[in-house]
Amino acid sequence: MNPLFLYMLKVAIALPAFYLVYNLFLSRDTMYSRNRFFILLSLLLSLVLPLITIQTKQPLDIQFFGKDLTGVVINGTRETSDAGQGFFASVGIIRMLFIIYLSGIILLGLKLLTEMVHLLLIVSRKKINGNRVIRLAGNKVSGFTAFGHIFIDEVLSAGDEEEIIRHEQKHLDLKHFFDIIFMELIKIFQWFNPIVYLFDRSLRAVHEFQADEECLNSGIPVVSYQGLMLNQVFRTRVFSATSRFSNPTLIKKRMIMMTKKRSKALANLKMLLVLPFVVLLLIIFSTCAKKSFDSFTGSETLSPPENAVAAENSQPTSVKEGDAFVVVEEMPVFPGGDVALLKYIAENTQYPNEAKENNIQGRVIIRFKIMDDGVVKDASVIKGVNPLLDSEALRVVSNLPSFQPGKQGGVAVPVWYMVPITFALSDKAAAVPPPPPPPPPAEGSKGSAEPFVVVEEMPMFPGGDAALLKYLGDNTKYPESAKVNGITGRVILRFCVTETGAVDRISILKGVDPAIDAEAFRVVSSLPSFQPGKQGGVAVPVWYMVPVTFALGEPKTEANQTPPA
């Protein structure tokens, strides 16, 4: 999703929380300066909080690395022939919404700019040196303030004019015009959010309450002041982005607030009620940021079952390929950990312009060697997409800073490492899985209850992975209840391919919905026998993982196989 669009959605979530506090606890108090401060602070916090992410020291969840067959997508097209749906599917609903959103920003921005230019032209033509009062003819407006000037109707009587100028002068003294401009800018970027217009109405009301209070404190009788307002109530407005004396929708509230008993100083403590909402919003936005980053990098956080890897105290068996190890007792670590590695690749990978223009995207898998001094060497493309993307992925990986080297028996050794990097046109994304967990102990031979994670010869479906993809696609049915309720998602199943090739020990590592989970479980349970995996020439049980995606829309199937590092 576009970062600006996502940010504005977060702002739209924050605004209702603050408005709820204001409307329930503060709006009926007569502490107008506090209410003005709270509204402006709420708007400011709504802009700032989505940018803040709470850092927590959680251990990084590690992917389960058995045979990983990714990208099985089961599509259930909704039963409708509406021609409009094909258009939305091809263009992309999110992209269309973003275009509509930008169009609203442009239109409202031009409207505000036009009003401001119009006001400035009036000031330049009618301003009299040393006089901040500008009289307008034929506008049917009592009075308003803007750009440090007071605008009033020239047909007002001398008495009314004096009182209205005094009222508008209070707006100038309190610098309400700056609040209005700030509010108008918020409205431009949040034009789709009804809460913004409620905040706007509340802020303008507070401005009028403040100016009324200042006028009454200066000695004007309440009765005559209220009569003046009633005399002007039917006059029309000319500029929306200004403070106006005769706003008909506020007259009743203003007259009530003039005679209302003053709130006590302890009412200021109500401001503290917003703190739980601030904490809650920080937690929500931090969680969203983590999910967005996981999606951006293409990583999938799973909680593997207890039997997914060997027990903590078991001594892992090393696996070696050529002059470097594949699995060692202490795997290499990037400076700052896996999150830092994800961030480095995401920030340093640039989508080639030619690839963008030709709509080229996909997942490039790079393998490289981390030497015993931590230096990255011998980077190569295991699975390519296009020379443009392949070369960029290879460039970024080749420039990785030194790792903390892997160790076997306490001695630094060279270790193979693998990095899949996904190029997607909606957002540049770099998917960097953590290093695979070590395989089970060597005792995991034929007849052992504990399957291997990585073996010399991985299990093979009859006909290969393409045939497995086809089998799952042909035999999986989208549950009708899930279709009706618009339920989509990715179910990740793990199973064991036994030494005889049978599918056993099926479990759901990540579910979506009971109906969808059950269908994915059923199809995997029906899989025919595999060619079993082998270690040292002997058939052994091996873990296998299949993510199955259920999506409502155009059929889409990817077959991206990730070989074990």
Side-chain angles (χ1 to χ4, degrees):
M1 184 180 292
N2 185 283
L4 174 61
F5 196 28
L6 180 61
Y7 168 73
M8 285 303 168
L9 285 179
K10 290 181 179 180
V11 174
I13 293 172
L15 285 170
F18 290 113
Y19 186 77
L20 182 65
V21 175
Y22 175 78
N23 193 49
L24 291 180
F25 304 109
L26 306 179
S27 62
R28 284 173 285 277
D29 291 346
T30 60
M31 309 192 76
Y32 308 129
S33 296
R34 179 209 63 187
N35 287 357
R36 177 190 178 191
F37 172 77
F38 181 86
I39 291 174
L40 296 176
L41 180 64
S42 297
L43 297 173
L44 186 61
L45 287 177
S46 296
L47 297 175
V48 173
L49 290 180
L51 302 174
I52 299 175
T53 301
I54 300 176
Q55 300 294 333
T56 57
K57 295 183 178 180
Q58 292 182 338
L60 183 67
D61 290 330
I62 297 179
Q63 285 181 309
F64 174 78
F65 263 74
K67 178 79 170 182
D68 183 359
L69 183 68
T70 63
V72 181
V73 180
I74 306 300
N75 290 276
T77 305
R78 298 182 190 274
E79 298 178 0
T80 175
S81 59
D82 188 352
Q85 286 196 354
F87 174 77
F88 282 108
S90 61
V91 176
I93 294 178
I94 297 298
R95 182 174 296 180
M96 285 196 62
L97 290 176
F98 184 63
I99 293 173
I100 294 171
Y101 170 66
L102 284 181
S103 300
I105 290 178
I106 293 171
L107 290 175
L108 291 177
L110 290 175
K111 178 178 178 292
L112 178 62
L113 182 62
T114 301
E115 290 184 355
M116 295 299 100
V117 171
H118 189 190
L119 281 173
L120 290 173
L121 290 175
I122 292 175
V123 171
S124 65
R125 289 198 306 262
K126 295 182 174 291
K127 181 179 178 181
I128 302 175
N129 292 335
N131 190 350
R132 290 187 173 273
V133 178
I134 296 177
R135 290 170 174 80
L136 302 176
N139 286 301
K140 300 294 185 180
V141 59
S142 299
F144 65 89
T145 58
F147 293 114
H149 290 77
I150 298 173
F151 299 79
I152 62 171
D153 193 345
E154 64 180 11
V155 301
L156 289 173
S157 64
D160 288 353
E161 179 180 300
E162 181 182 355
E163 297 300 331
I164 290 175
I165 290 176
R166 184 182 301 183
H167 175 91
E168 298 303 330
Q169 184 62 47
K170 302 302 180 183
H171 285 300
L172 287 183
D173 295 342
L174 294 168
K175 295 179 171 55
H176 287 163
F177 183 67
F178 296 103
D179 297 359
I180 296 298
I181 292 299
F182 178 56
M183 186 73 245
E184 289 297 317
L185 292 175
I186 298 292
K187 284 167 62 177
I188 288 174
F189 289 97
Q190 286 283 302
W191 60 265
F192 60 90
N193 188 355
I195 301 298
V196 173
Y197 300 95
L198 295 178
F199 261 124
D200 179 52
R201 187 175 67 179
S202 297
L203 181 60
R204 292 176 186 274
V206 169
H207 286 174
E208 296 302 326
F209 298 156
Q210 275 191 302
D212 291 341
E213 184 179 50
E214 292 289 328
C215 288
L216 294 175
N217 289 340
S218 66
I220 301 177
V222 174
V223 175
S224 62
Y225 191 77
Q226 290 177 337
L228 174 64
M229 287 194 300
L230 291 175
N231 288 337
Q232 306 300 324
V233 73
F234 295 110
R235 295 184 180 272
T236 58
R237 62 186 182 181
V238 289
F239 297 113
S240 61
T242 53
S243 297
R244 290 169 286 104
F245 178 80
S246 56
N247 187 337
T249 61
L250 286 178
I251 293 297
K252 182 179 178 180
K253 284 187 177 181
R254 289 169 64 185
M255 296 180 72
I256 292 173
M257 298 303 282
M258 287 179 196
T259 57
K260 191 172 184 179
K261 184 179 178 181
R262 302 295 95 179
S263 302
K264 297 181 180 180
L266 287 177
N268 285 324
L269 295 178
K270 293 181 182 180
M271 290 273 289
L272 299 177
L273 293 171
V274 78
L275 292 179
F277 289 89
V278 172
V279 173
L280 179 61
L281 288 172
L282 282 172
I283 293 173
I284 292 173
F285 292 151
S286 296
T287 303
C288 290
K290 180 183 183 301
K291 292 295 184 182
S292 298
F293 185 70
D294 286 343
S295 175
F296 175 75
T297 58
S299 63
E300 187 76 43
T301 5
L302 304 175
S303 299
E306 294 179 359
N307 60 351
V309 293
E312 280 185 17
N313 297 328
S314 63
Q315 185 68 22
T317 302
S318 62
V319 179
K320 194 171 184 180
E321 177 183 336
D323 60 346
F325 287 83
V326 177
V327 180
V328 290
E329 295 171 355
E330 298 180 36
M331 294 297 292
V333 178
F334 187 82
D338 293 322
V339 172
L341 177 56
L342 290 169
K343 184 178 179 183
Y344 179 91
I345 292 182
E347 291 179 348
N348 290 276
T349 303
Q350 297 178 358
Y351 212 117
N353 289 329
E354 188 176 345
K356 286 184 183 179
E357 295 171 358
N358 294 307
N359 196 32
I360 301 171
Q361 52 187 333
R363 191 166 181 249
V364 181
I365 300 177
I366 305 292
R367 192 174 77 148
F368 55 94
K369 193 185 301 180
I370 300 173
M371 305 304 293
D372 52 6
D373 59 356
V375 175
V376 172
K377 285 189 176 181
D378 299 336
S380 61
V381 177
I382 297 293
K383 177 183 177 295
V385 175
N386 177 274
L388 294 169
L389 301 185
D390 298 351
S391 60
E392 174 61 12
L394 195 61
R395 179 193 67 79
V396 173
V397 171
S398 299
N399 291 329
L400 285 172
S402 297
F403 285 61
Q404 177 183 327
K407 293 183 179 181
Q408 180 69 23
V411 179
V413 293
V415 180
W416 287 111
Y417 208 98
M418 187 179 67
V419 172
I421 300 178
T422 300
F423 291 83
L425 289 177
S426 56
D427 277 307
K428 179 185 70 177
V432 188
E443 63 182 14
S445 58
K446 184 175 180 178
S448 170
E450 183 61 50
F452 279 80
V453 177
V454 180
V455 290
E456 295 170 353
E457 298 180 35
M458 295 299 290
M460 180 66 68
F461 188 81
D465 290 333
L468 176 55
L469 287 168
K470 186 175 187 303
Y471 180 91
L472 293 172
D474 292 344
N475 291 274
T476 304
K477 298 179 180 179
Y478 213 116
E480 289 300 323
S481 61
K483 282 187 184 181
V484 172
N485 295 311
I487 300 173
T488 63
R490 190 169 185 248
V491 182
I492 300 180
L493 302 100
R494 190 188 70 154
F495 58 92
C496 173
V497 178
T498 67
E499 48 268 74
T500 63
V503 173
D504 193 12
R505 309 189 202 183
I506 305 170
S507 62
I508 296 176
L509 296 184
K510 178 178 179 291
V512 175
D513 174 82
I516 286 179
D517 297 349
E519 175 61 16
F521 191 95
R522 181 194 66 77
V523 174
V524 171
S525 301
S526 69
L527 285 172
S529 295
F530 284 61
Q531 177 184 328
K534 293 183 179 181
Q535 181 70 19
V538 179
V540 292
V542 181
W543 286 119
Y544 209 101
M545 186 170 72
V546 175
V548 181
T549 300
F550 291 78
L552 291 168
E554 293 296 321
K556 175 185 175 185
T557 301
E558 293 180 15
N560 293 333
Q561 177 184 335
T562 304

